[in-house]
Amino acid sequence: MNIRIPKDWALPESAVTAESVYRLRNRRDFLRSLGLASAGLLGAQALRGATGGFPAKENELYPASALKPTPYDFITSYNNFYEFGTDKSAPKDNAKGWKTEPWTVELAGLIRKPGKFDVNDLIAKVGGIEERVYRHRCVEAWSMVIPWDGFSLAKLVTLADPLPEAKYLKLSSFNDPKNVVGQRTAVLDWPYVEGLRLDEAMNELAFIATGIYGQPIPNQNGAPLRLVTPWKYGFKGIKSIVKIEFVAQQPRNTWYVMAPREYGFYANVNPNVDHPRWSQASERVIGGSFFAGKQATLMFNGYEKQVAGLYTGLDLGRNY
Ligand SMILES: Nc1nc2c(c(=O)[nH]1)N[C@H]1C(S)=C(S)[C@@H](COP(=O)(O)O)O[C@H]1N2
Ligand SMILES: [Mo]
């Protein structure tokens, strides 16, 4: 995860602003606004739209009125998804046409209700989806605001019914080198793995996203379902999950394995703890005006009220 200064101002400007897209609740108008009027273009996404519970109801605790969402084009064309290449612009092209329907998620390990679930059945089992607008802060010191659709991770944990010995979640992405170009290189250990403490997973903020801007989540953003933990650096937000295992020991997450001195298990956003190679005190706002420059990074990415209690007594400098 080397830091370059990407020319994000050179990205194609969206024909529509975040604001105007956000207000378009009608599916056909929305698609037309994105130039996706032909349902065929959407493929699996369109299919999932029929079953994935859209449109979702806004969660009033995390409304669009509180944070200005980044335009759709930036969220879906400036991505970290190393399975599909290491350039920010690569996943959008390389993940096009990759099959994410049907999709099965396995719940396993120290739980009373293990099983394999079709993603659409899972969405129905947890009671459908809602919409939340969250900050997104990458460890590389850039940020966005993303209107996610999905469900709280706590609902999935409740469904799994963990045994008392379960202390952590170990989440895994797919392994599909035949169809996924980046997995034919050893740029990371595949499959991508992440972890959370069980109490972090039960926190109200922890979210499983299945959509963005009221539409099924595009492949490059982690279709058909990915983790969102907005108080943590973006790399915790594992994409295209196939397995969630409940375990007793802290899992070794992919970026920790790659560079243990640079990327830890906790990865809580913290302006006071610098990355060994750069400051974390401020962040570049993607899709903002070129002249707007940087903004200050907030403790726990602005979610201190919801999560600070999880870390009392923990040395956040050592547990980075
Ligand atoms: N499977 C997988 N998940 C992943 C990554 C990845 O390379 N592979 N990159 C992570 C990083 S570093 C970030 S910042 C976010 C980016 O999510 P976005 O592209 O939807 O903004 O996804 C995270 N999840
Ligand atoms: Mo990231």
Side-chain angles (χ1 to χ4, degrees):
M1 216 183 292
N2 61 328
I3 188 142
R4 290 181 302 126
I5 306 299
K7 297 189 188 66
D8 52 74
W9 58 88
L11 286 174
E13 274 298 338
S14 175
V16 281
T17 65
E19 238 348 68
S20 63
V21 172
Y22 205 76
R23 287 173 202 293
L24 287 170
R25 295 299 179 169
N26 176 288
R27 180 178 170 79
R28 195 176 300 137
D29 283 354
F30 180 90
L31 296 179
R32 200 180 291 129
S33 77
L34 298 177
L36 298 172
S38 152
L41 266 178
L42 279 172
Q45 284 189 45
L47 265 175
R48 185 153 353 254
T51 49
F54 294 95
K57 195 170 171 291
E58 178 181 271
N59 182 324
E60 284 164 16
L61 294 173
Y62 311 102
S65 54
L67 294 167
K68 189 180 185 316
T70 301
Y72 185 87
D73 278 359
F74 285 93
I75 297 172
T76 56
S77 62
Y78 186 87
N79 301 104
N80 271 333
F81 200 170
Y82 277 22
E83 285 85 337
F84 294 100
T86 55
D87 280 351
K88 296 286 185 289
S89 59
K92 185 178 180 179
D93 284 341
N94 289 340
K96 200 174 284 170
W98 182 56
K99 211 165 163 283
T100 58
E101 172 104 23
W103 189 274
T104 303
V105 184
E106 183 179 1
L107 302 180
L110 304 169
I111 54 176
R112 293 188 186 88
K113 304 272 173 56
K116 293 185 176 178
F117 301 87
D118 171 77
V119 65
N120 290 314
D121 294 344
L122 196 62
I123 290 167
K125 269 190 198 302
V126 296
I129 58 172
E130 61 178 60
E131 184 172 75
R132 299 185 185 189
V133 178
Y134 277 165
R135 293 189 170 89
H136 173 79
R137 170 59 158 83
C138 176
V139 73
E140 297 163 331
W142 53 265
S143 70
M144 298 185 188
V145 172
I146 306 182
W148 301 107
D149 306 272
F151 54 88
S152 73
L153 178 57
K155 288 186 177 172
L156 199 146
V157 172
T158 304
L159 189 75
D161 198 1
L163 295 164
E165 306 90 272
K167 302 289 184 228
Y168 295 88
L169 272 65
K170 177 187 174 193
L171 305 98
S172 306
S173 292
F174 60 92
N175 197 14
D176 185 14
K178 198 166 147 274
N179 298 303
V180 172
V181 65
Q183 290 194 318
R184 290 172 225 151
T185 72
V187 58
L188 289 177
D189 260 358
W190 310 117
Y192 195 100
V193 169
E194 259 306 338
L196 289 174
R197 254 175 25 199
L198 186 59
D199 60 340
E200 294 180 311
M202 290 300 287
N203 185 271
E204 63 167 288
L205 287 178
F207 199 64
I208 296 289
T210 60
I212 290 177
Y213 268 108
Q215 296 295 313
I217 192 167
N219 284 355
Q220 64 268 30
N221 293 91
L225 80 172
R226 58 89 58 86
L227 177 67
V228 180
T229 45
W231 73 99
K232 293 178 177 288
Y233 291 122
F235 71 82
K236 295 297 288 183
I238 182 172
K239 294 178 170 181
S240 306
I241 299 163
V242 299
K243 187 173 182 180
I244 302 179
E245 218 178 328
F246 292 72
V247 295
Q249 304 295 326
Q250 182 176 302
R252 288 158 55 87
N253 48 311
T254 294
W255 275 103
Y256 170 80
V257 170
M258 187 70 185
R261 285 185 53 260
E262 302 194 6
Y263 311 104
F265 174 78
Y266 283 95
N268 290 316
V269 176
N270 190 337
N272 308 312
V273 176
D274 288 339
H275 184 278
R277 291 185 282 130
W278 59 84
S279 166
Q280 294 292 27
S282 65
E283 61 203 42
R284 228 163 22 88
V285 180
I286 303 298
S289 136
F290 171 60
F291 299 102
K294 293 186 167 188
Q295 70 183 21
T297 290
L298 302 172
M299 187 65 203
F300 295 117
N301 206 21
Y303 299 102
E304 197 164 8
K305 184 167 58 85
Q306 292 94 328
V307 300
L310 292 168
Y311 308 109
T312 40
L314 193 75
D315 181 338
L316 297 174
R318 291 172 67 92
N319 297 279
Y320 48 90

